[in-house]
Amino acid sequence: MPELPEVETVCQDLRDAGLCGSIITQARVHWPRTIATSSPAVFCKTIAKHQIMAIRRRAKYIILELAPSENLAGPALFLLIHLRMTGQLNIVMGTPKRDTHEHIILSLNNNTQLRYKDTRKFGRWYLVSDPEEKLAPIGPEPFAKSFTPKLLATMLATRSRVLKPLLLDQNFLAGLGNIYVDEALWESELHPETPASSVTPEQAKRLHRAIRLVLKRGLKNMGTTLGTGKANFYSVGKRSGRNQDQLKVFRRTDAPCPRCTTPIIRLIVGQRSTHLCPSCQVVN
DNA sequence: GTCTATGTTTGCGG
DNA sequence: TCCGCAAACATAGA
């Protein structure tokens, strides 16, 4: 569900909704496990009376930068939100009745609430004084200047794993999930089971371009919303993405490859459902 | 009604 | 280091 383009879309929508500048007056937790860093009671007490200063993204984390609104000498705080499979954020006016799957409600000073809804309850909130606690091991951002085709080639050269599980590993590269990995591998005409160490510099260059291409397209279309159920991706205000229309292979088993018309196949790689064109994408 | 699959991440055992 | 598996959960679809 929420991969880099979806998480970035949520961050942008939160900013557009005017969340920056709001002060958290009260927090309520209805599913304790969502709070990963302390008890719900400590979380609620700690986060209250903090102002939201900025909203940004790193990998698949939404990061809210907080500053104390009363004791100005107090330390800065960071709220890291990971949506995992089905987490959603919404901003509501007033205090409407709580939905079954709304697990956290932050009341804000302008008669609105930031609500966290998560049907499968896999999402996690981390309230920390230093975001590096969570972010340190994570790999480079795909759009970082320093993430060059050459760097990717070097990163791949020393790895013994195959491409698909490696690209899904957030400590290797940040932000990709099942959908965009399948799409990037199709774009670059690489097989998901290609050993990373066998990828040539030319292929690494193609993969680098493909990763940026599919992510950029996802961003432009404000994310991918598959199907109609509540387990799908919706940004703030239940808005769907429209990148699903741009997918070339993901969940398109038996459909013709857009490049060569060979039917797309599905297989399991690294325990993950994987889609590819058996004609365009062959193992090195 | 029942059974299976599921877009993410983490932790364990081999 | 790497891999497979299970778990954290609820729901859609067969």
Side-chain angles (χ1 to χ4, degrees):
Chain A
M1 311 233 55
E3 307 178 30
L4 185 153
E6 289 75 25
V7 177
E8 188 69 48
T9 299
V10 172
C11 288
Q12 188 56 51
D13 285 348
L14 290 174
R15 286 189 289 261
D16 290 349
L19 190 62
C20 293
S22 298
I23 293 169
I24 299 162
T25 52
Q26 186 188 56
R28 286 256 189 266
V29 175
H30 296 91
W31 183 258
R33 299 191 62 140
T34 303
I35 307 298
T37 42
S38 72
S39 69
V42 169
F43 168 85
C44 292
K45 194 168 175 187
T46 310
I47 201 168
K49 295 175 187 168
H50 277 74
Q51 183 172 23
I52 300 169
M53 308 305 290
I55 302 167
R56 59 191 170 89
R57 179 196 61 76
R58 168 81 168 102
K60 298 177 190 170
Y61 288 96
I62 296 162
I63 305 173
L64 303 194
E65 299 184 15
L66 310 173
S69 64
E70 280 183 5
N71 275 325
L72 288 150
L77 266 183
F78 297 86
L79 175 61
L80 275 59
I81 300 176
H82 199 302
L83 303 171
R84 293 278 185 102
M85 307 270 283
T86 56
Q88 293 170 24
L89 289 167
N90 269 303
I91 294 173
V92 301
M93 289 284 292
T95 53
K97 190 172 182 302
R98 184 172 69 92
D99 179 282
T100 323
H101 301 296
E102 284 178 337
H103 307 312
I104 303 182
I105 298 180
L106 300 185
S107 295
L108 307 172
N109 63 330
N110 51 1
N111 193 34
T112 64
Q113 293 181 329
L114 178 65
R115 293 191 171 198
Y116 177 70
K117 176 173 167 175
D118 187 355
T119 21
R120 289 183 71 177
K121 300 175 176 166
F122 289 168
R124 290 292 178 264
W125 285 35
Y126 306 83
L127 188 60
V128 295
S129 56
D130 177 6
E132 285 307 306
E133 279 179 41
K134 293 302 298 175
L135 306 178
I138 294 175
E141 284 290 325
F143 291 114
K145 277 246 161 42
S146 56
F147 181 65
T148 59
K150 203 169 174 177
L151 175 61
L152 178 60
T154 311
M155 288 163 61
L156 291 168
T158 57
R159 299 309 199 100
S160 58
R161 302 159 80 179
V162 299
L163 285 177
K164 169 108 184 194
L166 190 58
L167 292 171
L168 284 173
D169 185 345
Q170 299 301 297
N171 295 342
F172 178 77
L173 182 65
L176 292 176
N178 216 23
I179 299 174
Y180 294 99
V181 166
D182 280 6
E183 293 298 309
L185 289 170
W186 180 84
E187 286 286 348
S188 50
E189 298 180 56
L190 287 165
H191 193 285
E193 289 174 310
T194 306
S197 58
S198 77
V199 173
T200 66
E202 183 53 41
Q203 289 174 326
K205 196 171 160 184
R206 256 163 39 205
L207 179 59
H208 180 273
R209 189 182 335 126
I211 289 168
R212 287 191 167 177
L213 176 78
V214 299
L215 291 177
K216 215 170 278 181
R217 194 185 286 149
L219 283 165
K220 189 181 76 185
N221 291 312
M222 296 185 294
T224 301
T225 301
L226 264 354
T228 52
K230 32 186 131 180
N232 295 292
F233 166 71
Y234 296 99
S235 187
V236 179
K238 297 220 167 62
R239 207 192 52 217
S240 301
R242 37 190 169 73
N243 196 244
Q244 53 278 12
D245 306 333
Q246 302 300 319
L247 301 181
K248 305 298 193 291
V249 289
F250 192 81
R251 294 245 186 128
R252 292 182 50 77
T253 310
D254 296 331
C257 167
R259 207 164 26 219
C260 75
T261 74
T262 304
I264 300 300
I265 60 166
R266 173 182 177 274
L267 59 154
I268 303 295
V269 181
Q271 299 106 238
R272 303 300 301 278
S273 168
T274 299
H275 312 76
L276 68 143
C277 170
S279 167
C280 297
Q281 299 170 261
V282 294
V283 180
N284 280 357

